[in-house]
């Protein structure tokens, strides 16, 4: 359409920019997401776009947040310790802002709630859903996958994406000892409690298992975007990373065995 700029990088939705706004497809979860975004504004949290209802074509209207997002292979400025710490702190600020969110009784969510519902998880905290300026994060975007859940459910997936916790056989993966150091740094910056720290890696594995199941279910249901992800091998990529997370001793920073499966290519994305 005239005056619309297609925003590249989206793997599922067709997203366009119109002046200082973004227009995106809606779903049953959109009313709950917009209620959440209004709450964040009232709370004073500035790290999310404001929602402005729907346009004449039935698309949701959101603020365009200027800056850079990152996709794979990740640029070096996303992988600095400073960026990692800042993402963890922004995520903590976001979670704290959602504690008081009055969840609508009729709320529908993209993903079902996960117990205990301590916060409203973003659901897909990743470099491609984070806006950076001067190498530091300023906002999270694409809240479609938001849903109630425990803090660690969101923290574990964010750590997987930003540490990142990839099998060393993947291109660009850092050594496991460095992954362990950066994982501790991320948990420290978030202020993660002892119980959640103990559950962090297993939660990351559970989150990836959830992602693989969802991806395959959507592909089997005829969703072209997710069918493309499966055909590309994204599900097998995640399974390799799940095996890596189970193999490495994250407490002692040792690898008990050396026959971890490997894979080529950069980490896939979900959004």
């Amino acid at each position: 359409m005239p005056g619309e700029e297609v925003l590249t990088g989206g793997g599922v939705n067709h997203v366009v920019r119109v002046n200082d706004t973004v227009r995106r497809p809606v779903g049953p979860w959109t009313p709950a997401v917009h209620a959440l975004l209004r709450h964040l504004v009232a709370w004073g949290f500035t790290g999310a776009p404001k929602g402005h209802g729907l346009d004449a074509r039935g698309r949701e209207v959101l603020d365009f947040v200027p800056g850079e997002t990152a996709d794979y292979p990740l640029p070096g400025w996303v992988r600095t310790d400073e960026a990692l710490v800042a993402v963890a702190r922004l995520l903590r600020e976001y979670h704290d802002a959602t504690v008081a969110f009055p969840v609508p009784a009729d709320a529908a969510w993209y993903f079902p709630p996960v117990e205990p519902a301590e916060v409203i998880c973003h659901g897909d905290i990743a470099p491609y859903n984070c806006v950076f300026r001067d190498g530091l994060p300023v906002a999270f975007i694409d809240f479609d996958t938001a849903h109630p859940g425990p803090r660690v459910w969101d923290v574990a997936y964010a750590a997987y994406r930003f540490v990142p916790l990839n099998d060393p056989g993947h291109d660009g993966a850092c050594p496991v000892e460095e992954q362990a150091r950066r994982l501790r740094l991320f948990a420290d910056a978030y202020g993660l409690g002892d119980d959640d720290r103990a559950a962090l890696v297993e939660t990351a594995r559970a989150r990836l298992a959830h992602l693989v199941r969802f991806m395959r279910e959507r592909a089997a249901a005829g969703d072209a975007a997710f069918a493309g992800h499966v055909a590309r091998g994204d599900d097998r990529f995640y399974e390799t990373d799940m095996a890596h997370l189970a193999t490495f001793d994250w407490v002692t920073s040792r690898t008990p065995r050396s026959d971890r499966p490997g894979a080529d290519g950069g980490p896939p994305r979900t959004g």
Side-chain angles (χ1 to χ4, degrees):
M1 295 288 293
E4 296 188 353
E5 172 192 352
V6 176
L7 299 179
T8 60
V12 176
N13 293 313
H14 179 73
V15 182
V16 301
R17 178 182 178 182
V18 180
N19 298 320
D20 293 329
T21 67
V22 170
R23 313 296 172 99
R24 307 176 74 255
V26 301
W29 52 83
T30 303
V33 169
H34 282 212
L36 171 63
L37 295 178
R38 289 193 297 271
H39 168 79
L40 294 176
V41 171
W43 189 264
F45 178 73
T46 61
K50 295 178 182 178
H52 301 284
L54 307 182
D55 67 9
R57 297 177 57 187
R59 300 173 299 184
E60 67 172 344
V61 182
L62 304 163
D63 282 346
F64 174 78
V65 182
E68 295 180 88
T69 59
D71 215 330
Y72 299 100
L74 295 178
W77 50 266
V78 175
R79 303 186 66 160
T80 66
D81 283 358
E82 291 77 12
L84 184 71
V85 165
V87 168
R89 290 174 177 168
L90 184 63
L91 181 57
R92 177 60 186 257
E93 184 182 353
Y94 162 69
H95 281 164
D96 288 351
T98 70
V99 171
F101 173 59
V103 179
D106 60 349
W109 303 102
Y110 188 91
F111 290 138
V114 178
E115 294 296 335
E118 300 169 337
V119 298
I120 305 299
C121 295
H122 176 283
D124 195 10
I125 296 292
Y128 48 79
N129 282 333
C130 187
V131 177
F132 291 82
R133 296 188 200 126
D134 298 322
L136 294 176
V138 296
F140 299 128
I141 58 174
D142 191 355
F143 281 75
D144 278 2
T145 53
H147 61 285
R151 291 175 183 268
V152 70
W153 187 246
D154 232 13
V155 173
Y157 188 72
Y160 167 74
R161 288 292 185 177
F162 279 95
V163 168
L165 297 172
N166 298 130
D167 184 277
H170 295 323
D171 287 349
C174 59
V176 287
E177 293 80 8
E178 175 65 359
Q179 292 182 30
R181 184 192 69 82
R182 284 173 57 83
L183 182 61
R184 290 191 295 270
L185 185 63
F186 192 84
D188 288 345
Y190 181 91
L192 202 62
D194 291 342
D195 290 344
D196 282 344
R197 282 174 184 263
L200 187 56
V201 173
E202 280 305 309
T203 303
R205 294 186 71 240
R207 180 63 181 82
L208 291 178
H210 171 273
L211 176 57
V212 169
R213 288 194 303 271
F214 178 78
M215 183 183 301
R216 289 172 175 168
E217 288 170 0
R218 294 304 306 151
D223 188 305
F226 285 102
H229 294 172
V230 171
R232 190 173 60 193
D234 291 1
D235 53 341
R236 296 187 297 277
F237 185 103
Y238 293 129
E239 287 178 329
T240 301
D241 286 346
M242 289 164 59
H244 159 59
L245 291 172
T247 299
F248 186 67
D249 187 335
W250 298 92
V251 175
T252 63
S253 296
R254 290 200 302 265
T255 307
R257 58 184 176 82
S258 60
D259 57 342
R260 296 184 315 276
D264 294 328
R269 54 175 294 168
T270 61

